[in-house]
Amino acid sequence: MSEQYATPPAITVPPFAVISGAQVQHTLRGREPDVVRLVEDTYRLHSEGESVNPPSYFLRFPDRPNARIIALPTSIGGGARVDGIKWISSFPDNVRSGIPRASAVLILNDHDTGYPLACLESSIISATRTAAMAASAAAALSRARGSRPTRVGFFGTGLIARYVHTFLTATGWTFDTVGVHDTSADSAAGFRAHLRAAGTGPATGTRITVHDSPEELIRSSDLVVFATVAPRPHVTTPEWFDHNPLVLHVSLRDLAPEVLLASANVVDDVEHCLKADTSPHLAEQLTGSRDFLTGTLHDVTTGRAVLPADRPVVFSPFGLGVLDLALGKHVYDELTRTGQLHVIDHFFHERHRYG
């Protein structure tokens, strides 16, 4: 039979699974170095054109102006070969009721049929990839500058700050001091208690200090982690950064454009980061150009961008959906390998074209 009339390969409807937050956490906990490597590999695939990562879509509400739900559709090639979408909500008022601000699910779609493979609880995946990205950037940017920070300060002390600290320590970082600042004294005290419970404190030679003011925290830190829920810039004084710290601007909207314009600026993806009124987007609007950008993290790691020693370095990562997808597929594959995948029988009922 000629190739023209060859029978196409058989494809079938894949089973559909639901993966709980407990399973996600069990799969990822204690594997921080592996997760960092997975995030770095995914960034490389993205930079090489092996992903489709369109703009995120923001669902906003006239009656709840500080809340939003974001859709991040994406696709990745390489070994993962999977498509999907992250659907994550940010409701800051949740914090007043003692529940997390963010909640999320991740849908994985089969590469060959397009059928959904799984629905995963994804707030843990989101926090994990954010922290892994921050730890990876801290290491890469420190190497590029030729110096490694020893005094870290956390501005904002919620779930993301906790995950970032976990990933920093799990990937070999040690600090002489850990600074803490939050607009909520209770949150700052809670984070300090978490640090001590996690083994950070005088017994390990690390001093933990709760700072009353943002300026005090920033001036006393050579690595500053912004992990807040701020909707607009609230740190407006470039002089606070005169000691040229490395800044992980994880929450994206803390720094006024004037601070960025006095700094070397690194992003994970230019088009994604310069939108939705992030601080870099505001800097672009103010100046009318993108000349304030030094480059992407990939540019730095490949030597295409050089970091100055005489200015602060600010890393502003949008957090690409392709990272969530890669991490979600890793969890799915691990649960499949170990026989722990919870499949929903007959989830897809109409499985034959003609009944």
Side-chain angles (χ1 to χ4, degrees), residues 40-57:
E40 291 172 345
D41 289 343
T42 303
Y43 265 133
R44 278 193 289 272
L45 282 174
H46 175 69
S47 68
E48 293 165 2
E50 289 290 327
S51 69
V52 180
N53 209 99
S56 303
Y57 299 90

Side-chain angles (χ1 to χ4, degrees), residues 235-292:
V235 175
T236 60
T237 310
E239 289 74 21
W240 292 357
F241 301 85
D242 280 348
H243 57 300
N244 302 326
L246 172 58
V247 180
L248 302 179
H249 188 208
V250 175
S251 38
L252 279 179
R253 293 173 175 84
D254 302 276
L255 302 178
E258 291 77 12
V259 174
L260 297 190
L261 296 178
S263 305
N265 292 280
V266 180
V267 297
D268 57 348
D269 183 280
V270 174
E271 296 302 327
H272 283 80
C273 196
L274 272 68
K275 61 181 54 179
D277 288 336
T278 63
S279 295
H281 189 204
L282 296 179
E284 180 189 30
Q285 294 175 54
L286 179 65
T287 62
S289 79
R290 297 178 173 181
D291 292 345
F292 66 94

Side-chain angles (χ1 to χ4, degrees), residues 9-14 80-83 109-117:
I11 58 174
T12 59
V13 175
R81 292 183 77 247
V82 68
D83 315 316
N109 290 77
D110 178 56
H111 180 273
D112 295 322
T113 66
Y115 271 78
L117 285 172

